Amino acid sequence: LITLIAALLLSYLTGAIPFGLLFGRMVGKDVRDEGSGNIGATNVNRVLGKKLGILTLLCDVAKGFFPVFVASILLPMGDNWELFVGLCGLAAVLGHMFSIYLGFKGGKGVATALGVFLFFSPWAICIALIIFIAVVGVSGFVSAGSLAAAGMIPFLILMLGGSFSTFFCAAVIAVLIWIKHSSNIARLRRGEEKSWKTKGAQ
Ligand code: NKO
């Protein structure tokens, strides 16, 4: 039990590292003050440019992948192994969304969730990625692609033979991603969401 609690805590603290904000600070900008105000890769790309956007994406994906990868090695194999590793993934995503370093505020969890499910079900992520690219390509909105991919991922995991515990963690993460996108959903409904290519304030 101590091992599990330590793994959950370390996953949370890793997920909580706000890479987008840190890269912004390095160039003297606060991404929370510009664009959508989000610390995720989309807004870093919008505010700081492509290079730092891609770097943020990679780091945010890594901070989802590594906690579950390390937990899968450290946690003892047993009946609840998949559930425990999944909960570490959930902890990493919660860290990103409600970061202790940012007064329990944070990002929308898409890239970190991508890292988590890259570990559990690379094939589900492949299909989710195709859905994401298709929706962003047609609509021009990263948020719409994120919402579609996140909504599909629990079902993709089930269809590809994932365990119920993995499905459960994916479903909780998907709901959290949708909740974190409430301002995007409101903008999409009003027809005011900005294309991912649009720079500057919104
Ligand atoms: O600034 O509010 P904004 O417009 O930035 O940002 C909305 C956006 C926030 O998310 C991000 C993360 C960037 C993700 C980009 C590419 C990731 C490819 C997604 C593949 C789909 C896998 C999703 C699995 C979720 C469970 O939405």
Side-chain angles (χ1 to χ4, degrees):
L1 182 70
I2 302 262
T3 323
L4 176 63
I5 293 172
L8 288 171
L9 203 65
L10 285 173
S11 300
Y12 171 81
L13 291 174
T14 307
I17 304 169
F19 284 108
L21 183 79
L22 295 174
F23 295 143
R25 288 244 175 99
M26 278 166 30
V27 295
K29 280 195 177 183
D30 190 329
V31 288
R32 293 171 300 182
D33 295 335
E34 290 176 61
S36 70
N38 192 36
I39 60 166
T42 308
N43 201 45
V44 171
N45 171 68
R46 206 179 268 134
V47 175
L48 307 173
K50 200 162 151 190
K51 269 189 204 154
L52 289 177
I54 291 172
L55 194 62
T56 303
L57 178 62
L58 292 177
C59 291
D60 284 352
V61 170
K63 76 186 191 182
F65 183 85
F66 277 105
V68 286
F69 180 70
V70 173
S72 75
I73 296 168
L74 294 184
L75 290 175
M77 280 282 186
D79 292 343
N80 291 322
W81 180 81
E82 265 196 273
L83 176 64
F84 290 164
V85 177
L87 290 176
C88 287
L90 178 59
V93 173
L94 286 171
H96 179 75
M97 291 177 163
F98 309 98
S99 172
I100 192 165
Y101 313 119
L102 304 176
F104 298 100
K105 289 185 182 155
K108 300 182 184 179
V110 182
T112 306
L114 171 73
V116 170
F117 295 111
L118 207 53
F119 173 83
F120 281 107
S121 187
W123 284 113
I125 282 298
C126 268
I127 300 172
L129 211 58
I130 293 170
I131 297 171
F132 173 86
I133 291 168
V135 173
V136 177
V138 170
S139 71
F141 307 128
V142 174
S143 55
S146 299
L147 288 166
M152 288 302 293
I153 204 92
F155 304 103
L156 291 170
I157 284 170
L158 263 196
M159 286 192 303
L160 292 167
S163 67
F164 179 76
S165 63
T166 309
F167 165 80
F168 172 76
C169 293
V172 173
I173 290 173
V175 169
L176 289 168
I177 289 177
W178 272 72
I179 293 172
K180 276 285 183 175
H181 279 81
S182 53
S183 60
N184 299 86
I185 295 170
R187 280 197 296 271
L188 286 165
R189 291 172 68 111
R190 289 198 305 264
E192 289 171 3
E193 182 70 312
K194 288 284 189 289
S195 154
W196 66 280
K197 292 169 192 152
T198 311
K199 309 277 175 200
Q202 84 176 32

